[in-house]
Structures are given as structure tokens and as C-alpha cells.
Amino acid sequence: MTPALKQLLLDNFQIALTGGVLLVWLVLIHYQAPALKLIRRLTLLVFTWLSFAPFRVFTQKAIRYIDIAEIDVLLRRYVVQEKGTDWVDGFFWGIAAFIYLGLLGALWARDISK
């Protein structure tokens, strides 16, 4: 493994670990043995716990990008009910939270239905 790749993995260790845990869960979803079901549920629980920190980081980066692109200025200009407040950031955080919780809910529903 090249030193640049090692450094990239170390810099983004939590994201790599979260992806690895999700990959293990995706492999275990096909097995129905009781012991493997328990391991599968534990890996999904670990994925749920690990995925929250990258969600917060990437959502903050996305909202900063939206601020740079001035999309929030357009929203404040055309939707003037709460002009002068910081409601647009909360609106974007709400959308991101619903998407995140929806994805986690879909994974948990898939696990429970198996």
C-alpha cells in the first residue's frame, strides 16, 4: 500500500471504518443463522452509531457550500416569511436529518424484515 493511500485512510479513518461496517452488514444480510443475525444487528447498531459524526461533518460542509453558492440568499429573497432570521440553515439541517433518518430507517427495516 502506498504511503499516500495509508495517509488518506488514516485521515479519514472513521469514514473508512463506517463503510467497512456497512459492508460487513451487507454481507451478513444474506445469512439467516441465529448467531449471524445477532452479529448482523450488532454491526448495524455500530454503523448507526458511527455514521452520525460523518453525517454532521458532511452536512456542515454542504451548508457552507450552499452559503458560498448563495442559494440561501435566493431562498430568503423569495420566501420572506421569516426574513432576518437564520431559518434557512435550520431548514437545510432539517432536510438532511430527514434524509439521514430515512436511510437508517430503511436499513433497519431491511434488517428486521430478513
Side-chain angles (χ1 to χ4, degrees):
M1 188 180 297
T2 64
L5 184 59
K6 284 182 185 177
Q7 190 61 40
L8 182 67
L9 284 175
L10 287 175
D11 290 344
N12 300 306
F13 180 72
Q14 187 167 8
I15 296 168
L17 180 65
T18 305
V21 170
L22 181 63
L23 185 64
V24 168
W25 179 80
L26 287 171
V27 168
L28 290 176
I29 195 76
H30 300 291
Y31 298 102
Q32 298 298 324
L36 291 177
K37 275 186 180 181
L38 178 65
I39 293 170
R40 184 180 72 209
R41 295 232 168 110
L42 287 174
T43 57
L44 188 55
L45 185 64
V46 168
F47 172 76
T48 302
W49 178 65
L50 287 175
S51 66
F52 184 68
F55 160 73
R56 283 192 346 244
V57 170
F58 289 133
T59 302
Q60 287 173 351
K61 286 182 181 182
I63 290 175
R64 271 191 251 130
Y65 176 75
I66 288 170
D67 283 343
I68 291 170
E70 296 184 354
I71 294 171
D72 62 334
V73 174
L74 293 173
L75 279 173
R76 286 187 181 110
R77 185 178 303 146
Y78 293 114
V79 185
V80 292
Q81 286 96 358
E82 301 290 329
K83 192 170 185 178
T85 63
D86 209 13
W87 67 273
V88 176
D89 288 343
F91 177 72
F92 289 138
W93 270 102
I95 290 172
F98 276 121
I99 291 170
Y100 173 71
L101 292 174
L103 290 174
L104 284 179
L107 290 176
W108 277 100
R110 168 89 173 158
D111 188 75
I112 291 171
S113 69
K114 269 297 197 178

